Amino acid sequence: MTTHDRRPAVTDATTDDELDVLATDGALRPVGEPDGGGTLKDEDELRAVFAGRPSLGHTHATGRGPSARRQVRLPEGMNAALDTYAAQHGTTPSAVIREALDEYFATHRAG
């Protein structure tokens, strides 16, 4: 703690109860900027952030029903290209695969 900073020091020995009091009093020192920045309007938005991706079950992304899971083996180069593409486009490899399958089935209709 410096002479300019009147906030109490938090150490590994600080208990959860002490942290709770410090947080309630607004006495905790900020550690840094949150990843991604931005602000949340309310607690419901915060809960949505921590809830994760909804299930993709039979009712399609409504949070009901289990998501089907498939595993595939990819050649090393294809796997690396998938990871690179997903990172460059701010998405996940799973989302890229789902989109690719949607496009494939749209152009290769069975029957």
Side-chain angles (χ1 to χ4, degrees):
M1 185 163 65
T2 68
T3 56
H4 300 339
D5 189 355
R6 300 282 182 222
R7 296 178 185 170
V10 176
T11 68
D12 289 340
T14 306
T15 67
D16 288 344
D17 289 337
E18 290 169 332
L19 285 172
D20 186 43
V21 169
L22 293 171
T24 302
D25 292 344
L28 291 177
R29 188 173 31 252
V31 174
E33 292 296 317
D35 291 341
T39 59
L40 299 174
K41 291 186 292 188
D42 54 30
E43 192 169 326
D44 289 337
E45 281 192 10
L46 178 63
R47 288 174 200 228
V49 167
F50 288 107
R53 181 177 58 80
S55 169
L56 296 174
H58 68 283
T59 52
H60 197 285
T62 62
R64 291 173 285 170
S67 298
R69 181 178 180 143
R70 300 284 176 130
Q71 291 182 320
V72 299
R73 295 188 183 274
L74 301 175
E76 189 173 318
M78 184 182 290
N79 190 56
L82 174 61
D83 288 339
T84 299
Y85 180 90
Q88 288 175 343
H89 290 85
T91 188
T92 64
S94 292
V96 173
I97 292 169
R98 284 191 295 271
E99 185 177 328
L101 284 171
D102 281 342
E103 289 180 21
Y104 180 86
F105 291 137
T107 59
H108 297 86
R109 297 236 181 247

